């Protein structure tokens, strides 16, 4: 959505005032993606599929079949990578979703408000006047844009690496049926979308934490620490009863998009859960930010 | 494009408290606060019942030692922090409620400049301009260029802000306040970090803006700065407003109580001089080395002030050798020290 709004804002020179307020969103997105930190995060995300691809290639080069995979949900695909490079997309997303992607989101979201407060630029944005609600929305929209861009970075890097190192061809789904490469790529795109949506909840948590402090580093560290804690809680069998309410619980459900027919149950639960987290922490962030004394 | 100075149909709610004082405040004040109070956590009062009136078109000096609540007041006026009690109106509208309508007409420099170090000076201004929903993106480049030129940063506009000196940052902060024609400029310590030449330029800029009809609200702990550029001033100490009025009136306050200022005589015979001066009704005599200072008897005491020439003649007649003779005019610094009973560096 932000993309669409963006092009509108750029292409409407005679627009009335309501569209002018999109200038801040454009400024924010441009600024975020021009920062070295953002580019470094994207570079790391792009590097993961290359590493995985090269590792699989070396393993198979030694004549061993690709290792069986580590986790329960995702890397079932990893054995398929040698037959079809498209599977590197699925594998890479499964590898980056638990930590790399949400950590990157945590950095962007955690710094969003706290970083401005730390630098003192927050007071100048607010007297401009950016408007507190508007600024918060812009920050959240930018974080979500980063979710999408980050996920696509992983997917495209994986696709390029996969195409270079392995053959491409018909995609055999988890349920056994084969679909043409074109449809396989479409499914890959859908999976990237599902992964990006899985990050909506962490983004909201990061934004909320960012409104609590004037230290960008503290907000980032707290977000990432919380992520790791929750990921660990999600693996403890004793906590089974609360696990369905933890935001990463259904993350690996994106694999269900590789079934025929698509198995929607877990996916829907995931999106629902993310929406709840976004609503709860988004509201909390709004309540906090609109009443906070800006003394930095 | 200069916005017409928004003549608002002033059906604004007549605020009930304090209505009908003996001398009504000047019509349409730009800033008006009533009992404005801010208590920070722990109950400490940073600002205590402030009644401030800033007339339209004035250059208003907001004076006080560091830490006396000036910046807290400015933050409340700009809607950055909520008042604990009392109300504030800026450009006739209540703050912070009407912030969206009011703030585009206000340029502010609050507690020093804050910039994005990784952006160039020009990009910083673009960013702050984009944050204003009332700023026309079509004229952005032109307005940014003008603002840069106005503060003398045009040549350094492409440099990253992190490479700027403090003075350059201050100028860029001022440029951000000047992106649009403003009705009110709030400048918190605008000459901090500037060299004497830079200070002079800022003062010239303030005068120029005031001549264009912009009201300038200038906070400072530098008394001579206020004295040089301001038409009005308010003095604040320990969270309270001590006095406010025109600079001339404030100086006169001291001149009144001290008749016509403090007499200073430089002489190699200080003891004799003091004796003669005392005979002529000079009070509060102080002797330091070869200087004798004292207060002339004045109208406040119901006496006719003596002619200084007669006083000097009396000294010479008594055989006192006089090297220098005259009165010191009361400066704002005198006013300040007299009103607050303290220096103007740091409040305890």
């Amino acid at each position: 959505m932000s993309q669409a709004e963006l092009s509108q804002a750029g292409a409407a020179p005679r627009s009335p005032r309501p569209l002018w307020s999109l200038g801040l969103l454009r400024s924010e997105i441009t600024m975020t993606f021009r920062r070295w930190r953002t580019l470094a995060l994207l570079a790391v995300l792009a590097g993961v599929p290359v590493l995985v691809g090269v590792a699989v290639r070396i393993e198979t080069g030694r004549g061993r079949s690709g290792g069986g995979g580590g986790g329960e949900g995702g890397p079932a695909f990893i054995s398929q990578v040698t037959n079809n490079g498209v599977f590197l997309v699925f594998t890479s997303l499964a590898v980056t979703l638990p930590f790399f992607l949400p950590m990157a989101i945590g950095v962007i979201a955690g710094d969003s408000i706290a970083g401005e407060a730390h630098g003192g630029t927050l007071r100048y944005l607010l007297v401009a006047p950016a408007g507190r609600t508007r600024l918060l929305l812009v920050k959240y929209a930018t974080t979500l844009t980063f979710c999408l861009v980050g996920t696509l970075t992983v997917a495209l890097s994986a696709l390029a690496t996969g195409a270079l190192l392995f053959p491409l061809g018909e995609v055999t789904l988890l349920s056994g049926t084969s679909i043409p490469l074109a449809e396989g790529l479409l499914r890959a795109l859908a999976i990237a979308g599902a992964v990006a949506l899985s990050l909506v909840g962490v983004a909201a948590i990061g934004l909320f934490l960012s409104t609590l402090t004037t230290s960008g580093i503290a907000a980032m560290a707290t977000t990432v620490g919380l992520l790791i804690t929750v990921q660990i809680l999600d693996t403890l069998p004793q906590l089974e009863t609360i696990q369905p309410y933890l935001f990463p619980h259904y993350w690996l459900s994106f694999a269900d998009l590789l079934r025929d027919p698509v198995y929607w149950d877990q996916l829907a639960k995931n999106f629902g859960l993310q929406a709840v987290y976004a609503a709860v922490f988004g509201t909390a962030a709004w309540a906090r930010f609109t009443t906070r004394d800006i003394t930095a | 494009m200069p916005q017409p100075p928004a003549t608002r149909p002033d059906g604004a709610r007549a605020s009930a408290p304090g209505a009908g004082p003996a001398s009504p405040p000047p019509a349409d004040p730009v800033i008006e606060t009533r009992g404005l109070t801010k208590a920070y956590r722990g109950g400490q009062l940073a600002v205590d019942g402030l009644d401030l009136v800033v007339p339209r078109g004035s250059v208003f000096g907001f004076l006080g030692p560091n830490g006396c609540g000036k910046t807290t007041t400015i933050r409340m006026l700009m809607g950055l922090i909520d008042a604990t009690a009392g109300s504030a109106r800026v450009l006739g509208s209540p703050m912070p409620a009407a912030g969206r309508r009011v703030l585009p007409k206000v340029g502010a420099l609050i507690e020093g400049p804050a910039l994005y170090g990784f952006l160039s000076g020009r990009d910083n201004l673009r960013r702050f301009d984009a944050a204003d929903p009332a700023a026309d993106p079509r004229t952005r480049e032109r307005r940014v260029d003008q603002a840069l030129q106005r503060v003398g940063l045009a040549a350094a506009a492409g440099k990253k802000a992190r490479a700027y000196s403090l003075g350059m940052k201050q100028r860029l902060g001022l440029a951000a306040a000047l992106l649009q024609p403003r009705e009110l400029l709030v400048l918190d310590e605008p000459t901090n970090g500037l060299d004497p030449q830079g200070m002079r330029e800022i003062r010239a800029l303030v005068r120029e803006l005031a001549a264009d009809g912009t009201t300038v609200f200038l906070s400072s702990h530098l008394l001579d700065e206020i004295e040089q550029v301001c038409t009005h001033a308010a003095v604040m100490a320990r969270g309270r407003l001590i006095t406010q009025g025109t600079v001339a009136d404030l100086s006169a306050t001291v001149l009144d109580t001290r008749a016509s200022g403090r007499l200073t005589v430089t002489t190699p015979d200080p003891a004799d001089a003091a004796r003669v001066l005392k005979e002529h009704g000079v009070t509060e005599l102080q002797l330091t080395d070869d200087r004798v200072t004292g207060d002339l008897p004045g109208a406040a005491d119901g006496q006719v002030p003596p002619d200084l020439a007669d006083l000097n003649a009396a000294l010479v007649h008594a055989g006192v050798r006089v090297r220098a003779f005259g009165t010191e005019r009361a400066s704002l610094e005198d006013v300040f020290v007299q009103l607050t009973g303290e220096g103007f560096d740091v409040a305890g």
Side-chain angles (χ1 to χ4, degrees):
Chain A
M1 53 130 197
S2 36
Q3 311 288 49
E5 286 172 358
L6 256 191
S7 51
Q8 268 178 19
R14 290 186 303 132
S15 57
R17 292 186 163 207
L19 271 183
W20 292 357
S21 71
L22 288 176
L24 181 58
L25 181 62
R26 184 164 52 167
S27 154
E28 180 68 31
I29 290 179
T30 322
M31 202 180 84
T32 303
F33 285 97
R34 270 178 57 188
R35 294 191 76 162
W36 280 111
R37 193 182 57 202
T38 313
L39 298 178
L41 287 173
L42 290 178
V44 169
L45 288 175
V48 172
V50 178
L51 280 179
V52 173
V54 169
V56 170
R57 181 65 195 240
I58 290 170
E59 286 287 291
T60 44
R62 287 191 196 139
R64 283 169 39 187
S65 68
E72 317 91 81
F77 323 112
I78 204 159
S79 52
Q80 296 254 32
V81 171
T82 46
N83 304 325
N84 192 342
V86 177
F87 274 87
L88 189 60
V89 177
F90 311 143
T91 310
S92 303
L93 286 174
V95 168
T96 50
L97 181 53
F99 287 110
F100 285 99
L101 275 171
M103 263 164 69
I105 307 301
V107 170
I108 300 290
D111 195 47
S112 58
I113 299 288
E116 300 270 6
H118 181 72
T121 44
L122 183 58
R123 63 175 183 265
Y124 286 111
L125 289 179
L126 291 182
V127 299
R132 297 195 184 198
T133 307
R134 175 163 159 256
L135 185 60
L136 199 66
L137 284 174
V138 161
K139 290 288 185 185
Y140 193 51
T142 306
T143 310
L144 294 186
T145 308
F146 181 82
C147 291
L148 191 63
V149 171
T151 310
L152 288 178
T153 303
V154 173
L156 291 177
S157 163
L159 189 62
T161 312
L164 274 175
L165 298 179
F166 309 103
L168 293 180
E170 281 200 340
V171 177
T172 311
L173 296 178
L174 295 180
S175 35
T177 41
S178 286
I179 55 169
L181 178 62
E183 204 192 323
L185 290 178
L186 222 61
R187 295 233 182 184
L189 192 66
I191 284 181
V195 169
L197 283 175
S198 302
L199 298 166
V200 165
V202 205
I205 294 174
L207 186 74
F208 169 62
L209 292 172
S210 190
T211 60
L212 297 180
T213 166
T214 57
S215 158
I217 305 282
M220 289 183 219
T222 313
T223 313
V224 172
L226 194 72
L227 168 78
I228 292 171
T229 314
V230 172
Q231 286 281 50
I232 291 170
L233 294 184
D234 200 32
T235 61
L236 298 178
Q238 290 85 345
L239 296 175
E240 229 168 39
T241 44
I242 62 152
Q243 281 169 0
Y245 306 103
L246 300 177
F247 61 88
H249 189 67
Y250 298 106
W251 270 0
L252 293 178
S253 64
F254 74 81
D256 292 343
L257 284 168
L258 286 181
R259 297 181 201 279
D260 194 23
V262 173
Y263 187 53
W264 286 106
D265 184 39
Q266 303 265 306
L267 281 165
K269 275 187 183 157
N270 183 24
F271 297 152
L273 193 60
Q274 299 306 323
V276 169
Y277 269 87
V280 169
F281 284 94
T283 311
W286 178 81
R288 163 74 182 159
F289 188 54
T290 49
T291 55
R292 167 175 158 189
D293 278 355
I294 308 296
T295 51
Chain B
M1 22 223 64
Q3 298 161 333
T7 38
R8 186 166 299 117
D10 219 327
R13 19 171 262 194
S15 22
S23 58
D28 190 20
V30 168
I31 296 173
E32 189 178 17
T33 72
R34 287 233 162 89
L36 195 66
T37 300
K38 179 70 186 178
Y40 280 119
R41 229 175 282 172
Q44 185 210 346
L45 287 175
V47 174
D48 186 2
L50 205 66
D51 295 311
L52 193 67
V53 178
V54 177
R56 187 171 287 272
S58 61
V59 178
F60 195 98
F62 195 36
L63 196 58
N66 291 324
C68 71
K70 286 181 311 222
T71 297
T72 303
T73 306
I74 289 176
R75 281 176 183 273
M76 281 192 279
L77 291 174
M78 297 293 101
L80 289 173
I81 60 182
D82 277 334
T84 312
S87 66
R89 296 175 81 80
V90 176
L91 299 176
S93 303
M95 282 299 286
R100 231 180 142 155
R101 199 151 33 88
V102 170
L103 290 175
K105 296 181 234 159
V106 179
L109 184 67
I110 306 161
E111 223 181 344
L115 306 166
Y116 301 94
F118 54 93
L119 293 182
S120 70
R122 183 185 302 275
D123 284 342
N124 267 286
L125 293 187
R126 285 192 184 124
R127 161 96 171 152
F128 290 124
D129 196 59
D132 178 358
D136 187 343
R138 285 167 289 170
T139 60
R140 182 162 299 148
E141 292 307 311
R142 191 168 49 78
R143 286 181 293 112
V144 165
D145 280 339
Q146 281 173 352
L148 284 166
Q149 257 161 25
R150 198 144 198 198
V151 300
L153 267 186
K159 256 170 104 176
K160 294 256 187 277
R162 94 164 66 79
Y164 279 15
S165 69
L166 180 55
M168 288 164 85
K169 287 180 180 165
Q170 194 79 16
R171 283 162 193 257
L172 195 62
L174 266 171
L178 298 176
L179 280 168
Q180 301 243 50
R182 312 283 192 187
E183 283 182 47
L184 168 65
L185 271 178
V186 174
L187 305 177
D188 191 5
E189 306 272 359
T191 55
N192 253 6
L194 293 180
D195 52 23
Q197 173 62 22
M199 287 184 171
R200 215 169 302 141
E201 283 174 34
I202 297 300
R203 276 185 218 123
L205 184 61
V206 167
R207 287 196 194 100
E208 195 181 308
L209 290 162
D212 293 348
T214 309
T215 308
V216 182
F217 183 80
L218 184 85
S219 99
S220 183
H221 65 282
L222 299 175
L223 295 139
D224 57 339
E225 186 170 289
I226 300 266
E227 201 166 29
Q228 284 183 44
V229 297
C230 293
T231 59
H232 293 66
V235 179
M236 207 175 163
R238 297 205 185 98
R240 290 176 162 277
L241 192 66
I242 306 284
T243 183
Q244 61 182 329
T246 64
V247 168
D249 281 351
L250 288 181
S251 298
T253 311
V254 168
L255 288 177
D256 266 357
T257 54
R258 287 193 183 170
S260 39
R262 201 156 165 86
L263 177 71
T264 305
V265 180
T266 312
T267 167
D269 315 314
D272 289 342
R275 183 178 44 78
V276 175
L277 290 174
K278 198 171 180 183
E279 284 167 8
H280 285 79
V282 178
T283 53
E284 303 277 325
L285 283 165
Q286 281 181 352
L287 276 74
T288 42
D289 298 332
D290 62 345
R291 279 159 58 91
V292 181
T293 61
D295 288 344
L296 291 167
D301 314 325
Q303 285 173 289
V304 182
D307 190 327
L308 286 179
D310 292 345
L311 211 53
N312 194 13
L315 282 170
V316 175
H317 271 298
V320 176
R321 295 166 293 168
V322 176
R323 284 204 188 108
F325 182 94
T327 50
E328 286 174 355
R329 259 201 69 237
S331 65
L332 258 182
E333 185 166 330
D334 296 324
V335 180
F336 188 85
V337 171
Q338 181 169 358
L339 289 171
T340 63
E342 63 185 90
F344 46 89
D345 288 332
V346 178

